[in-house]
Amino acid sequence: MGSRQEGGVILDIRVGDILVMKKPHPCGEKRWLVLRTGADFRLRCLGCGHELMTPRFKAEKNIRSVERKQTSDS
């Protein structure tokens, strides 16, 4: 993990992770699938399927937890 100039921490978020947000989407779902990472995130709501692009800093401050499938690194 690295640190930003402002002192915040950059989260290790990868494609395929599920982000649990603090506030729900209007459909009622709080979980989003990560489709793309970088300076922006492309996310898909797991409730209604709505997709959006959002700046990384904006998404990171609204994340409650990250769910990742365990992979075996051999």
Side-chain angles (χ1 to χ4, degrees):
M1 291 199 183
S3 63
R4 287 198 183 138
Q5 210 170 20
E6 304 88 39
V9 175
I10 298 172
L11 298 174
D12 180 25
I13 296 173
R14 303 174 189 166
V15 173
D17 287 353
I18 295 174
L19 306 180
V20 180
M21 300 300 204
K22 294 177 183 176
K23 294 182 180 180
H25 187 245
C27 73
E29 182 61 64
K30 288 186 175 185
R31 298 171 358 121
W32 293 80
L33 175 65
V34 178
L35 302 175
R36 178 189 177 279
T37 61
D40 296 321
F41 286 150
R42 181 155 193 87
L43 305 173
R44 177 183 297 144
C45 176
L46 294 178
C48 65
H50 179 76
E51 291 186 12
L52 59 86
M53 289 283 288
T54 185
R56 182 180 194 105
F57 75 91
K58 192 172 182 181
E60 283 185 349
K61 69 180 187 177
N62 293 315
I63 295 171
R64 177 162 284 156
S65 65
V66 178
E67 299 174 2
R68 179 172 296 147
K69 294 179 184 173
Q70 295 299 324
T71 58
S72 59
D73 294 332
S74 302

